[in-house]
Amino acid sequence: MSLSIKDIQAPISSEMDAFERKFRQFMKSEVMLLDQIMNYIVRRKGKQLRPMFVFLTAGISGSITEATYRGAALIELLHTATLVHDDVVDDSNYRRGFFSVNALWKNKIAVLVGDYLLSRGLLLSVDNQDFSLLQIVSNAVREMSEGELLQLSKARRLDITEDVYFEIIRQKTASLISSCCGVGARSAGASEELVDKMRQFGEKVGLAFQIKDDLFDFGDAEVGKPLGIDIKEKKMTLPLIYALRQTTWTKKRQIINIIKNHSDKPQKVAEVIQFVRDSGGIQYATQAMQKLVEEAKTILHSFPESNYRNSLEGLVQYTIERSK
């Protein structure tokens, strides 16, 4: 039976409580408007999966230190900055069911808020000489930007192969979870070899996480993400890539034409979804996701059994069993 978020958090519950207090402090500003926006961002935080990866990975790699708290805060600050900027780029009015910063305070303020969050993260690391943590997270932010641009460049031609797809999601999604695990291990004083092992673990979890996200596009559950949104945005995901590879040239051309020219029509999007389901795309992507999860668990099982290891395994399972 899979663990709940509360069960997963059990070995680090006191650390997570302390982190929340410290993180609020890191976000504070003497500018009233900025402080108001920071409070709004903190109040609408999600499940905090990223800090959980940092703390659990630190626990399994050695011990949780003050650097672990700073590393988790650095990741949250830089990641939140990218989300605020993403909402401006996408002209999105909602984030996790709440109004986005740009919807409430307009684009100009949202961009400046994103810049402020980036600078707070950088200063937090520089002031405490956490240069090795900053290097790990900065690389992840660079990769996330490159992955987004690679996807945008490919979306114009809809010519993404499976290899390119995996490179995009490795950069866009897996690099961040990989950095969480790398930061956790590094903050615990682990060896370079162990840090690299935990980064590999995080990358596999991140890839599986994104495939799960892509599968929501073709499912029946209410997940907070509209069905077929990836198709409407002309994103080539693994279920679709596989389905197109299995079909005839004529059918492939027909489906590509729908995505390129008719993705604004619900009945046409439904046609693509049914095509992917009928072609075995769901099963293929699910198997790929499960393989990555097993590889991640193999890395975990090279560590002695502990509450940290059990919770990390539960967190891995949660990422692929979640309903949204």
Side-chain angles (χ1 to χ4, degrees), residues 216-229:
F216 285 143
D217 214 45
F218 304 94
D220 301 310
E222 187 62 47
V223 296
K225 169 184 174 182
L227 199 65
I229 191 69

Side-chain angles (χ1 to χ4, degrees), residues 90-108:
D90 297 338
D91 200 23
S92 176
N93 289 325
Y94 295 95
R95 168 71 62 178
R96 295 190 191 122
F98 294 89
F99 282 116
S100 59
V101 173
N102 53 296
L104 292 174
W105 288 280
K106 306 304 179 191
N107 286 348
K108 187 174 182 179

